């Protein structure tokens, strides 16, 4: 929450919530790492294309890699239904007003995830601000930025980009008809966070999906390697 | 925050903040109504086109109606600079992390607004969730939804639509190349809030801008009428 002047009581309560969230997230991460599951937390504004990207990832991964999806929204089961239609287990968390997922909401679902699962994708509530403060036990945090949103967004909403491992530029098929420069967007994000892996994608024409899937598969292989040597 | 389970302490602190915000907002509204200023609060996701729409509104209104703009962002002065380039007074509030504007941030700027001002537009932080809970002293709350975000968003993010007076569908020039049905988007929003006034706009080709400006001018005339009879 940075420089906003908050009441002292508000700060204390907020720190308690984040502290408790961090503990639950660490526990989720430990349990799923031990089970060989790579957890990916997808963050973005509403309408950046998280669910459509997930549909493409599911189609590409499903034949060879068992996966599961948790969908976060304020209301409606719509997104989980879209994923289930692809034949993949999906759980919908509706926050009933809250602007982000918290680790405790995810923790309740963990016991239901099938034993063979290799990847768990968590689609956060559409919000480029608040979800950045909440660790959900993920191994990779990916922030999406769609071409129609504009290439000036990273510096205006820096926390999501600062805390992410990868930046997925989506809807790149629209670049020809929009004043959006993927280079500029990537450059701004890299100035905030130089270790970001950047992917330019289009769920419509498939651009960048194979590279992204490869990145997730490699990240899981590294995770399992680390587990073996731990 | 609806059905999310919050700690009792969190609820108390939140109610205190919202209660104090409501009082400051009521004071802003009373002062600006007495001065004949119509205040419009613009809410949407990041990248829905709030600043670009404001640039068009400024160009249309400025020759005949003095106006002023307050820009809300987490970081950067970019948006206020864009408005100032149009020759209109603009103030940038950077929240330094907070995901919404609060009335107290706006209150600090009120004394600086020129006496002749007829319209004050406040562009909120790009976030379709949290700003809906904070009255800024506005007379009209307008929620923007851009064609690329998808026509399924009202029911997924209902609070912004439930508390708004008007819905501005933006980037309508992109409708031909996108799976977006303005009718469906409007219908979903109207099911949540039947009193919404709906405008279909494009800042690029000017569609709907004149109608929107007329709505603001009429709303101000009604406000002044009410003031006279009060």
């Amino acid at each position: 929450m940075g420089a906003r002047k908050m009441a002292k009581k508000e700060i204390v309560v907020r720190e308690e919530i984040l502290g408790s969230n961090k503990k639950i997230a660490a526990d989720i991460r430990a349990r799923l790492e031990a089970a060989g599951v790579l957890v990916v937390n997808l963050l973005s504004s509403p309408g950046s294309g998280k669910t459509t990207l997930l549909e493409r990832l599911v189609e590409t991964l499903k034949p060879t890699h068992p996966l599961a999806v948790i969908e976060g929204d304020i209301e409606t089961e719509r997104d989980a239904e879209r994923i289930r239609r692809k034949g993949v287990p999906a759980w919908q968390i509706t926050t009933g007003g809250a602007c982000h997922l918290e680790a405790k909401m995810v923790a309740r679902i963990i016991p239901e995830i099938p034993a063979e699962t290799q990847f768990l994708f968590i689609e956060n509530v559409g919000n480029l601000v608040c979800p950045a403060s909440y660790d959900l036990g993920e191994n990779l945090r990916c922030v999406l930025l769609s071409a129609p949103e504009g290439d000036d967004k990273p510096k205006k909403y820096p926390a999501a980009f600062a805390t992410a491992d990868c930046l997925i530029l989506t809807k790149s098929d629209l670049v020809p008809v929009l004043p959006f420069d993927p280079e500029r967007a990537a450059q701004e994000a890299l100035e905030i966070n130089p270790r970001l892996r950047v992917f330019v994608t289009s769920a419509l024409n498939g651009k960048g999906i194979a590279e992204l899937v490869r990145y997730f598969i490699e990240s899981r292989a590294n995770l399992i390697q680390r587990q073996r040597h731990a």
Side-chain angles (χ1 to χ4, degrees), chain A residues 33 221-230:
Chain A
E33 280 183 2
N222 293 338
L223 177 87
I224 288 170
Q225 196 72 10
R226 278 203 310 276
Q227 286 290 109
R228 284 209 188 109
H229 294 278

Side-chain angles (χ1 to χ4, degrees), chain A residues 155-218:
Chain A
K155 291 212 172 158
K156 292 168 80 176
Y157 302 87
F161 299 87
T163 62
D165 302 284
C166 100
L167 165 64
I168 307 175
L169 298 173
T170 58
K171 307 192 191 185
S172 71
D173 51 281
L174 287 172
V175 167
V177 299
L178 291 174
F180 182 87
D181 180 354
E183 288 289 324
R184 192 191 152 194
Q187 193 48 45
E188 272 217 15
L190 287 165
E191 281 169 24
I192 296 165
N193 178 359
R195 69 182 188 86
L196 273 176
R197 285 282 299 269
V198 182
F199 298 88
V200 180
T201 70
S202 162
L204 200 74
N205 64 29
K207 182 181 167 146
I209 304 296
E211 290 82 348
L212 193 55
V213 164
R214 215 149 42 226
Y215 168 64
F216 293 139
I217 291 175
E218 277 165 21

Side-chain angles (χ1 to χ4, degrees), chain A residues 10 41 57 84 99 130 134 136 140 149 157-158 170 174-175 187 191 197 199 209:
Chain A
E10 193 186 352
N41 181 1
L57 293 174
R84 281 178 208 135
C99 53
C130 317
Y134 292 83
L136 303 182
L140 295 177
E149 286 173 78
Y157 302 87
T170 58
L174 287 172
V175 167
Q187 193 48 45
E191 281 169 24
R197 285 282 299 269
F199 298 88
I209 304 296

Side-chain angles (χ1 to χ4, degrees), chain A residues 108-126:
Chain A
R108 277 178 224 127
I109 295 166
I110 302 301
E112 299 179 34
I113 290 170
E116 69 273 19
T117 304
Q118 297 186 0
F119 296 92
L120 172 65
F121 291 95
I122 305 173
E123 177 180 339
N124 222 307
V125 175

Side-chain angles (χ1 to χ4, degrees), chain A residues 20-145:
Chain A
S20 142
N21 185 76
K22 208 170 268 181
K23 272 183 219 141
I24 301 170
D27 180 54
I28 293 172
R29 192 160 27 243
R31 282 164 65 187
L32 291 180
E33 280 183 2
V37 182
L38 183 89
V39 183
V40 181
N41 181 1
L42 297 174
L43 245 74
S44 81
S45 308
S48 296
K50 292 182 292 301
T51 318
T52 309
L53 178 74
L54 269 174
E55 287 176 324
R56 292 300 90 74
L57 293 174
V58 161
E59 286 163 8
T60 314
L61 275 167
K62 196 197 157 209
T64 48
H65 298 77
L67 74 161
V69 174
I70 295 176
E71 289 287 346
D73 264 304
I74 292 176
E75 300 283 355
T76 85
E77 281 263 331
R78 286 175 181 175
D79 289 353
E81 283 161 9
R82 283 173 61 183
I83 300 300
R84 281 178 208 135
R85 259 178 245 136
K86 302 276 171 197
V88 160
W91 294 261
Q92 182 78 48
I93 299 172
T94 50
T95 66
C99 53
H100 57 271
L101 292 181
E102 294 182 20
K104 63 182 173 194
M105 304 172 186
V106 173
R108 277 178 224 127
I109 295 166
I110 302 301
E112 299 179 34
I113 290 170
E116 69 273 19
T117 304
Q118 297 186 0
F119 296 92
L120 172 65
F121 291 95
I122 305 173
E123 177 180 339
N124 222 307
V125 175
N127 181 336
L128 198 50
V129 188
C130 317
S133 303
Y134 292 83
D135 183 358
L136 303 182
E138 69 263 24
N139 303 105
L140 295 177
R141 179 176 289 193
C142 295
V143 58
L144 279 70
L145 177 65

